[in-house]
Amino acid sequence: MRRFLSFRDFDWGLLLMVLILCGISVMEIYSATLHTKYVGGHFHTKQVYYILGGLVAMFIFSKIDYHKLLEWAPWAYGVFLVSLVAVKLVGQKVLGARRWISFAGIHFQPSEWVKLVLILAVARYFANLGGRDLTWKEIGKAFALVGVPMLLVLVQPDMGTALTYSPILLSGLFLGGINWKQALILVTTGAVLVIGAWDSGKILKPYQKARLTGFINPDNDPKGAGYQVLQAKIAVGAGGIWGAGAEKGSQTQGAFIPIPHADFIFAAFGEEHGFVGAIFVLLLYFLVLMRLIQNAQTAADLSGSLIIMGVVAVLTFQIVVNVGMVIGFMPVTGIPLPLMSYGGSSVLFTFMALGVAMNVRMRRFVN
């Protein structure tokens, strides 16, 4: 009976929407790299392998009771803290940052996987508090729980990935019992700390500051900090209503968009498929997020709701920031577009996170 109920409650509609996004990703990676210097990398083929591996991981994580995953969360948290320290000490340096550990020809990015561990750890922490009003001591412990790995990622330096940890904390605090007075104090304190960190010049490197400010007026430095934003906006604008067509975008095929198959894949897709294509992709993301929220509302317990909403928070943050930087509303931070951007660690994290969310849904009535 348990197996029958699990199979019946698997969210096949959610899986279908995810697979459509993955199919668009593979086709766009192929199209965006076909006539560029990246064609020899066969990135679309590798993306297929990552997606297949992600599907396997999703089904595995959907079958392991999420209560057991919550029990293992503290151990996983410790292991990944060690892995983040190892990245800084022996990690592979690419483009001035140490973010990967190479083993047997495989590049492993622990900072991406930490997001899933944090989702589970934060859900466990707030579920154990029982949803009551939070004390300042409990809020401080939550900040430490997320803040330690965030600082370890910031020193790599990888500001983009570190920022993706913050929505996990915010969703946990919101669902965990923070009141509006505490929230107001935290927001005010956070604003003061951000201003102080900016003025000190010790936290953010000069190129990171340039990225954060370059999107406001990219024309001030069109060949430097503003280059990526300008080229992405030109590509999206060139797409018009229906797009230039696959393999025909001048910005994409002319190599004006930097690494079009990764962080700027939405710009390449927008140029080739236009406003209609872009809206279709955004609609798919909206439906995926709404389906996840619906599953969170029907979860059997608070920990299940916290897990799914943690996944929703991370995915929403990544989608908003990535699309925002492409159209010039957000700074360029190197955050990938979930299920669309090329990258093994990002794809596998997303599928595993969806697998855990599916896990919660499948155990709505059976625990």
Side-chain angles (χ1 to χ4, degrees), residues 61 64-74 120 307 356 359:
F61 273 78
I64 303 172
D65 192 332
Y66 67 91
H67 297 99
K68 292 183 179 179
L69 294 176
L70 291 172
E71 292 176 6
W72 299 338
L120 294 171
I307 288 173
V356 177
N359 189 323

Side-chain angles (χ1 to χ4, degrees), residues 124-189:
R124 172 191 167 98
Y125 176 74
F126 284 107
N128 288 339
L129 296 178
R132 55 180 171 77
D133 291 340
L134 298 176
T135 65
W136 282 110
K137 184 178 180 180
E138 291 164 345
I139 293 174
K141 289 180 179 179
F143 268 87
L145 184 67
V146 177
V148 172
M150 181 180 286
L151 289 175
L152 290 174
V153 174
L154 276 173
V155 299
Q156 291 182 359
D158 187 357
M159 183 175 60
T161 303
L163 288 175
T164 61
Y165 299 168
S166 56
I168 301 173
L169 174 62
L170 294 177
S171 67
L173 289 170
F174 178 75
L175 296 174
I178 192 172
N179 61 53
W180 69 268
K181 291 182 180 179
Q182 291 171 324
L184 181 61
I185 293 172
L186 288 175
V187 169
T188 304
T189 304

Side-chain angles (χ1 to χ4, degrees), residues 82-103:
V82 173
S83 70
L84 289 176
V85 174
V87 168
K88 186 61 179 177
L89 297 176
V90 299
Q92 184 180 13
K93 195 169 186 178
V94 179
L95 298 177
R98 295 186 186 274
R99 302 174 186 174
W100 292 270
I101 295 178
S102 296
F103 180 76

Side-chain angles (χ1 to χ4, degrees), residues 221-304:
D221 190 10
K223 295 184 178 180
Y227 177 81
Q228 293 175 314
V229 175
L230 285 174
Q231 299 306 320
K233 289 171 67 175
I234 292 171
V236 173
I241 299 297
W242 300 103
E247 307 168 23
K248 295 180 181 179
S250 59
Q251 290 295 114
T252 303
Q253 303 302 327
F256 292 102
I257 300 176
I259 319 181
H261 56 288
D263 297 342
F264 286 89
I265 192 168
F266 190 76
F269 184 83
E271 182 180 29
E272 295 185 353
H273 302 279
F275 178 78
V276 173
I279 290 297
F280 177 73
V281 167
L282 292 177
L283 178 61
L284 277 176
Y285 278 125
F286 176 78
L287 293 175
V288 167
L289 295 173
M290 288 300 102
R291 192 65 173 245
L292 287 170
I293 292 173
Q294 182 184 35
N295 291 338
Q297 292 173 332
T298 59
D301 51 27
L302 177 59
S303 60

